[in-house]
Amino acid sequence: MQTIDARGLSCPQPVIETKKVLDKKPDAVTVQVDNISAKENVTRYAKAAGYQVTIEGTEYGWALELSKA
Amino acid sequence: MKRLGKEQYTIMGAGSLFAVLAAILVMLGNPLNMGFCIACFYRDIAGSLGLHSAAVVQYARPEIIGLFLGATAMALFRKEHKSRGGSSPLTRFVISFFVMIGALVFLGCPFRMLLRIGGGDLNAVVALLGFAAGVIAGSLLLNKGFSLGRSYTQGKVEGSLPSIIALALLVVLLFLPALLKFSTAGPGSMHAPILISLAAGAVVGLLAQRTRFCMAGGIRDLFLFRDTTLLLGSVAVIVVALMLTIATGTFKLGFSGQPVAHTDWLWNFLGMGLVGYGSSLLGGCPLRQTILAAEGNTDSAMSVLGMVAGAAFAHNFGLASSGAGATLGGKVAVVLGFALLTLIALLIIRKNNK
């Protein structure tokens, strides 16, 4: 499964990176983020793009598991 | 149109409250259509600290101090205060410097632009077009791979300093005001009582931290991701400001004779265009940079310092506009700003795409 490392990136870059990958319609992607606005914005974008989001807390922040709804 | 959810209602509520607080501050003494203006207030603070000597714009605006303290409190409460930094701090300083120049050529930050539109100032509508064009240009560069790089965790002291400095300024303002300069005429002399300004700033800080309110982000998210969440906050500011200026009798539709404004449409467009362009590259408007700095983001703290330095330069070198219009120096600085920011962006994109 593909992983996007968006740690340390400030918005909108985490969303841009996520969009680039979701535009290819993968079944599942993990996005690693470490700041709260990235977590919220990627989640919002993924939901709007028709993905389910499971959020898991990690030592660096959050791992967002996106899967086709 | 998608159905509105909790997030959307929250940010519209916050934007509406911002406009109400702005109206109250104007009623209690702030200049017209300047209940809030992040750029103008940093310029006044720069003047109050003697970093420039334009006698009419010197005041240690408590709204800014309130923004810092409110946002810091909310971030601590929500366990979102994190010391971070190291994402091209000096580049951010330079970009923010020119964001401030652009704002002072227009005479307002994005926040005041919304309030000016709400007051019927059509010059601000021209500026909005420029701002949107600037944000879109910056967004295109972001899509092409522009990035200021990753930030990293920093020590607690580093990320706490922005709020501590704000607190220190408050102590000086309240107990040692003789150290500061205060305008006796002009916009700097017009202000609401200190504690009310401080409280209004704190409320905006709390809510802006909570909602991630950002005017540049609103246009950017619509353009890049077809997401209107952030934009709804800005729309709420305009709508409520409009209702309140009509209700209080300060609404005045037109281009000429607007408070703290000029009618050089090209330079309103380009000045705010530069603000939008730079804000887009930075990842947020001056308000958002302030809130992020208060959350422990020292890259945004560098942006704040860049804006303060930009304001000082703008007045020391006659770049800031006045009611009479833009100055030659201001026009040159705006064109230079566009060229420099574009050069920086293209060099970074070329390196990132190698």
Side-chain angles (χ1 to χ4, degrees):
Chain A
M1 187 169 67
Q2 199 171 352
T3 299
I4 303 169
D5 181 3
R7 289 175 291 177
L9 294 181
S10 55
C11 276
Q13 287 171 53
V15 191
I16 291 177
E17 297 304 317
T18 306
K19 181 176 189 288
K20 279 182 189 157
V21 174
L22 292 193
D23 282 349
K24 293 179 202 140
K25 312 270 177 223
D27 287 330
V29 186
T30 303
V31 189
Q32 300 172 315
V33 295
D34 65 355
N35 68 79
I36 191 91
S37 28
K39 180 186 108 180
E40 289 173 2
N41 292 343
V42 170
T43 303
R44 194 163 63 224
Y45 180 75
K47 282 184 177 163
Y51 282 78
Q52 264 175 351
V53 184
T54 327
I55 300 169
E56 199 187 318
T58 63
E59 13 113 40
Y60 57 81
W62 301 272
L64 311 175
E65 315 275 348
L66 317 185
S67 56
K68 267 229 170 87
Chain B
M1 174 104 192
K2 275 188 320 234
R3 240 179 59 237
L4 299 181
K6 183 169 161 256
E7 222 175 339
Q8 284 77 14
Y9 282 115
T10 312
I11 199 158
M12 284 195 289
S16 309
L17 186 58
F18 293 177
V20 172
L21 291 169
I24 294 174
L25 290 172
V26 168
M27 277 198 300
L28 294 176
N30 275 24
L32 279 176
N33 298 344
M34 207 191 281
F36 275 97
C37 174
I38 310 305
C40 317
F41 290 180
Y42 278 125
R43 168 205 60 198
D44 292 350
I45 289 178
S48 187
L49 295 171
L51 300 176
H52 68 69
S53 47
V56 290
V57 283
Q58 298 176 326
Y59 179 49
R61 293 277 175 189
E63 289 90 344
I64 294 283
I65 301 172
L67 282 178
F68 269 97
L69 302 184
T72 304
M74 183 61 106
L76 288 172
F77 174 71
R78 294 176 58 82
K79 299 194 171 34
E80 291 173 7
H81 194 283
K82 266 178 142 185
S83 293
R84 313 196 48 86
S87 162
S88 313
L90 199 53
T91 310
R92 287 176 189 272
F93 181 96
V94 171
I95 295 173
S96 307
F97 182 98
F98 282 99
V99 163
M100 180 55 91
I101 304 280
L104 293 180
V105 165
F106 162 63
L107 292 173
C109 71
F111 201 161
R112 180 164 192 251
M113 175 182 73
L114 303 180
L115 295 172
R116 282 176 61 174
I117 295 173
D121 181 345
L122 296 177
N123 301 300
V125 177
V126 175
L128 175 61
L129 297 177
F131 181 66
V135 171
I136 289 171
S139 302
L140 288 172
L141 294 172
L142 284 162
N143 239 350
K144 289 263 174 252
F146 175 82
S147 169
L148 289 170
R150 291 180 200 267
S151 65
Y152 301 90
T153 302
Q154 308 285 339
K156 277 227 155 39
V157 175
E158 175 84 358
S160 308
L161 277 174
S163 315
I164 293 172
I165 293 170
L167 201 57
L169 183 61
L170 178 64
V171 171
V172 173
L173 175 65
L174 290 178
F175 303 109
L176 294 164
L179 295 178
L180 302 170
K181 294 183 179 181
F182 294 95
S183 299
T184 50
S189 70
M190 302 164 72
H191 54 81
I194 289 180
L195 292 180
I196 292 176
S197 296
L198 184 69
V203 172
V204 173
L206 287 166
L207 289 174
Q209 197 283 335
R210 178 72 191 83
T211 58
R212 335 282 174 214
F213 196 96
C214 179
M215 292 150 239
I219 294 169
R220 176 198 72 204
D221 287 358
L222 177 68
F223 177 73
L224 285 181
F225 315 122
R226 307 278 168 256
D227 176 21
T228 53
T229 309
L230 281 177
L231 192 64
L232 288 171
S234 298
V235 173
V237 172
I238 296 182
V239 171
V240 176
L242 184 67
M243 294 192 299
L244 291 172
T245 53
I246 292 174
T248 56
T250 53
F251 180 82
K252 187 173 138 196
L253 190 67
F255 284 97
S256 59
Q258 295 289 348
V260 201
H262 63 76
T263 54
D264 273 347
W265 65 269
L266 179 62
W267 297 97
N268 282 328
F269 182 91
L270 290 176
M272 217 52 201
L274 186 55
V275 175
Y277 192 38
S279 296
S280 190
L281 298 180
L282 291 170
C285 65
L287 172 68
R288 183 75 186 136
Q289 297 302 326
T290 305
I291 303 299
L292 284 170
E295 287 179 20
N297 184 326
T298 56
D299 292 322
S300 291
M302 285 301 281
S303 288
V304 169
L305 293 179
M307 287 192 281
V308 172
F313 269 72
H315 282 282
N316 288 339
F317 295 93
L319 312 179
S321 300
S322 67
T327 65
L328 177 62
K331 294 172 186 175
V332 172
V334 166
V335 172
L336 206 65
F338 272 113
L340 191 67
L341 264 52
T342 305
L343 181 67
I344 289 174
L346 293 180
L347 288 173
I348 289 177
I349 290 173
R350 205 175 69 162
K351 179 183 155 280
N352 286 353
N353 290 345
K354 253 184 194 163

